[in-house]
């Protein structure tokens, strides 16, 4: 069993449950284009991957229209959606125990850094993180592989065997693999076991408590 020193976490679907805020924000943006969504659950695929890519993939928006849609999304997300969010059970315990054991804890999210920092502060989690890396508001550094690469540089990792990425979607797994890292999947988020295992997760966990036991065993 590997002993990881650097623990990288995704945010949405891994530390917090953002479904209400994200799906309402997406629905708000789509309404601007005359697309009315009755069932917000149908928008859950937007949780995790970069927003611009999702507007293009699921609604056929071109590059310019997708960029505009992201801005419309933020009109709702900034004042409201960012707080329509809940922390998963056991996450505070997980982070607290990792910190007490001297682990280096990093947030690596495709969400803009400025929003990620607000969410961590809202839940009182800022003190656990040694480094917070997200995308830029202008749409750069949005792919998970780019985010992880930047985070590795920021904390000066020299031995990648000491690093693990933890996330709930295939883009977390694939981004980790691009950087030569192990990746663990969590099943309480928005990706299922087949998605995570197909992408190459080395293992999966049903909850934050069992994940904590593994990382500290």
């Amino acid at each position: 069993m590997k002993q990881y020193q650097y623990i990288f976490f995704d945010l949405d679907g891994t530390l917090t449950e953002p479904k209400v805020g994200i799906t309402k924000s997406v629905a708000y943006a789509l309404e601007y284009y005359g697309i009315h969504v009755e069932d917000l659950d149908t928008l859950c695929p937007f949780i995790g991957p970069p927003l611009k890519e999702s507007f293009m993939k699921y609604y056929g928006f071109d590059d310019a229209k997708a960029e505009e849609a992201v801005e419309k999304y933020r009109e709702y997300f900034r004042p409201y959606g960012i707080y329509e969010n809940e922390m998963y059970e056991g996450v505070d315990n997980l982070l607290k125990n990792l910190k007490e054991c001297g682990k280096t804890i990093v947030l690596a999210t495709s969400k803009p850094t400025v929003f990620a920092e607000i969410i961590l502060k809202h839940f009182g989690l800022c003190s656990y993180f040694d480094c917070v890396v997200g995308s830029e508001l202008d749409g750069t550094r949005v792919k998970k592989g780019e985010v992880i690469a930047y985070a590795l540089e920021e904390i000066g990792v020299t031995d990648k065997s000491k690093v693990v990425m933890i996330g709930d979607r295939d883009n977390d797994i694939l981004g980790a693999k691009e950087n030569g890292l192990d990746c663990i999947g969590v099943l309480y988020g928005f990706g299922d076991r087949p998605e995570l295992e197909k992408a190459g997760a080395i293992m999966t966990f049903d909850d934050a408590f069992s994940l904590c036991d593994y990382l500290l065993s």
Side-chain angles (χ1 to χ4, degrees):
M1 184 180 294
K2 284 189 178 181
Q3 286 292 318
Y4 298 108
Q5 172 59 35
Y6 304 93
I7 318 295
F8 283 38
F9 284 100
D10 172 48
L11 180 58
D12 294 335
T14 302
L15 299 179
T16 66
E17 208 286 32
K19 185 173 93 168
V20 173
I22 289 179
T23 57
K24 280 188 175 182
S25 300
V26 174
Y28 174 90
L30 292 172
E31 195 73 44
Y32 177 76
Y33 300 100
I35 303 169
H36 182 66
V37 179
E38 288 283 353
D39 183 3
L40 294 181
D41 285 348
T42 63
L43 301 177
C44 285
F46 277 79
I47 303 171
L51 281 171
K52 180 180 173 181
E53 291 182 6
S54 293
F55 280 114
M56 297 172 76
K57 177 179 179 180
Y58 298 115
Y59 286 90
F61 288 11
D62 61 22
D63 190 83
K65 189 174 180 180
E67 285 189 7
E68 182 184 49
V70 170
E71 289 305 312
K72 299 304 294 185
Y73 168 98
R74 289 174 181 164
E75 285 183 8
Y76 181 91
F77 187 77
R78 274 192 181 97
Y80 308 114
I82 197 169
Y83 301 110
E84 294 174 319
N85 201 350
E86 296 179 4
M87 184 165 57
Y88 285 113
E89 184 179 7
V91 163
D92 51 351
N93 174 77
L94 166 63
L95 297 174
K96 179 176 181 290
N97 280 290
L98 290 175
K99 195 69 174 177
E100 288 178 350
C101 288
K103 304 297 184 181
T104 302
I105 306 175
V106 176
L107 189 74
T109 175
S110 291
K111 186 182 292 299
T113 306
V114 62
F115 294 154
E117 290 174 338
I118 291 171
I119 291 168
L120 292 181
K121 183 178 180 180
H122 176 67
F123 288 111
L125 301 178
C126 292
S127 63
Y128 296 126
F129 287 87
D130 297 280
C131 182
V132 175
V133 175
S135 61
E136 299 291 351
L137 287 171
D138 64 5
T140 55
R141 202 173 66 230
V142 70
K143 293 182 181 297
K144 187 52 69 82
E146 296 171 340
V147 172
I148 293 172
Y150 188 83
L152 288 168
E153 290 181 11
E154 284 291 286
I155 60 176
V157 170
T158 55
D159 184 355
K160 290 185 178 180
S161 70
K162 298 293 185 182
V163 186
V164 65
M165 176 72 201
I166 298 165
D168 70 308
R169 298 299 308 274
D170 57 0
N171 63 307
D172 298 311
I173 314 300
L174 297 172
K177 289 173 67 177
E178 283 176 27
N179 287 280
L181 306 182
D182 287 347
C183 191
I184 291 172
V186 296
L187 298 173
Y188 52 79
F190 295 91
D192 57 20
R193 191 186 304 276
E195 174 184 331
L196 295 169
E197 291 183 347
K198 180 181 179 182
I202 61 170
M203 60 186 65
T204 57
F205 290 93
D206 293 316
D207 56 67
F209 297 104
S210 56
L211 173 60
C212 183
D213 289 342
Y214 173 77
L215 291 173
L216 296 180
S217 60

